[in-house]
Amino acid sequence: MSRKGWVLFVALGVIWGVPYLFIKVAVGGVTPASLVFFRCAVAVLLLMPIAVYNGGLRGLHRHWKPLLAFTCAEIALPWFLLSRAEQQLSSSLTGLLIAGVPLVGALLGWATARTSGGSGKPSPAGEKLGPRRISGLAVGLAGVAALVGLDLSGGDTWAVVQVGIVAIGYALGPFILSRHLAEQNGTAVMAVALALTAVLYAPVGIAQLPDHWPAGKVVVSLIVLGVLCTAIALVTFNALIDEVGPVRATVITYVNPAVAVALGVLLLHEKFTAGIAVGFVLVLAGSVLATHRSPGNSAPEQVASAE
C-alpha cells in the first residue's frame, strides 16, 4: 500500500478498535435502539452541514436503491445487532469475532473478479485471490475459530450469530459503495445513510430512554461513538476505500481487535483468556498476509470519494 494508505489504515485501526469498549459501556445504561439513534443523530449533526456545503446532496436521490442497501448493510442492521451482542459478549470477544469481515470481503472480491461485458477489463470491485492472500484469510479465520472453540459457551450462540450478520454487512457495504455509489460524494452518502438510520430508530430509541438521566460514562460513550467512532471514522474509512480498494479496506478489522482487546482488558477488566491469546496472534498475522495484492491485479478500483 501507499504511505497514505498505511496512515489511514493505522488511524482507522485505532478508531474502530475503540467502539467495542464504548458500546459495552453504553448498553449498560441505554437500549441498543437508543444507542443507535443517538450515535447516528450526533454524527448527522456533524456530517450533514459538510455535505450540504459541498453540494454533495444534489442528485443523490436518484440513487436511492443502492443508498438504502448501503444504509441497511453498513449501519442500520449491524449497529443494532452489535449493540445487542455486546449485552452478552465481552468487548474483547466481539472485537475479535468481527475479524471475519475480510474473509467475506475477499469472497465477494473473488466473485466479482470477472470481465465486464466484452471489454476484457476487470470488474471495478473485483479482486483476485492469490496464494498469499488466501493464506492470510485462512490464518485469520483460524483465529476466529479458536475464539469460538475456546471462549464461547452454548448460551452465547445467538450473540455470535448476530456478530456474524454484522460481519457480512460490514463486508457488503464497501462493495455497494464501489459498484453503485462510486460517483457520489462520500460524505453526503454517509450523512444521508446516518440520517435514514436515525429516523428509523427514533420512535423506539426515544421511547426506550431510561426514566432517569444515564450515568456520565454512558453519556460520554454515546458522544464518543457519534463523533469519533462514526463521523470521523466513516470519513476516514471512505478515504481508505478510495486509496486501497474495498476488499483490502475491510482488512482493517484484523487490526481493530488489538485495540479492542487491549481496552477491554485494561479498562473494563475483561479476562485475557486462552482463546483471546490464540485468536489475537492469528488475526494479526493474517492481517499482514491478507493485505497482499495478487500479481497481475493492479487495475484501479472505482470507489466513493470522501471529498
Side-chain angles (χ1 to χ4, degrees), residues 46-184:
L46 297 175
L47 293 180
M48 191 61 76
I50 299 174
V52 173
Y53 178 80
N54 291 336
L57 298 178
R58 289 194 295 269
L60 190 56
H61 66 281
R62 292 194 293 269
H63 305 274
W64 64 272
K65 289 183 179 180
L67 184 56
L68 283 178
F70 172 77
T71 300
C72 292
E74 186 74 20
I75 300 175
L77 184 60
W79 288 4
F80 177 75
L81 293 179
L82 192 62
S83 300
R84 288 198 61 182
E86 285 212 48
Q87 289 180 315
Q88 188 168 343
L89 301 178
S90 69
S91 65
S92 302
L93 278 174
T94 305
L96 284 173
L97 287 170
I98 291 294
V101 172
L103 176 63
V104 181
L107 291 175
L108 288 173
W110 169 77
T112 55
R114 60 183 184 274
T115 57
S116 178
S119 64
K121 296 180 179 180
S123 174
E127 191 166 316
K128 295 180 180 180
L129 294 179
R132 186 175 177 181
R133 293 191 67 234
I134 292 175
S135 299
L137 293 169
V139 170
L141 181 61
V144 176
L147 286 170
V148 174
L150 297 176
D151 273 4
L152 301 178
S153 65
D156 297 325
T157 301
W158 175 233
V160 173
V161 170
Q162 291 180 95
V163 176
I165 297 173
V166 172
I168 294 173
Y170 280 173
L172 283 172
F175 275 85
I176 295 172
L177 282 176
S178 174
R179 295 177 67 85
H180 302 289
L181 297 168
E183 302 302 323
Q184 305 306 307

Side-chain angles (χ1 to χ4, degrees), residues 19 22-23 26 35 39 220-231:
F22 289 104
I23 289 173
L35 187 158
R39 179 178 180 179
V220 170
S221 295
L222 292 173
I223 294 174
V224 172
L225 285 169
V227 176
L228 177 65
C229 304
T230 303

Side-chain angles (χ1 to χ4, degrees), residues 4 14 25 41 54 126 153 160 162 177 201 212 249 261 276 303:
K4 178 181 178 182
V14 174
V25 173
N54 291 336
S153 65
V160 173
Q162 291 180 95
L177 282 176
Y201 282 96
H212 304 287
V261 170
I276 289 178
V303 291

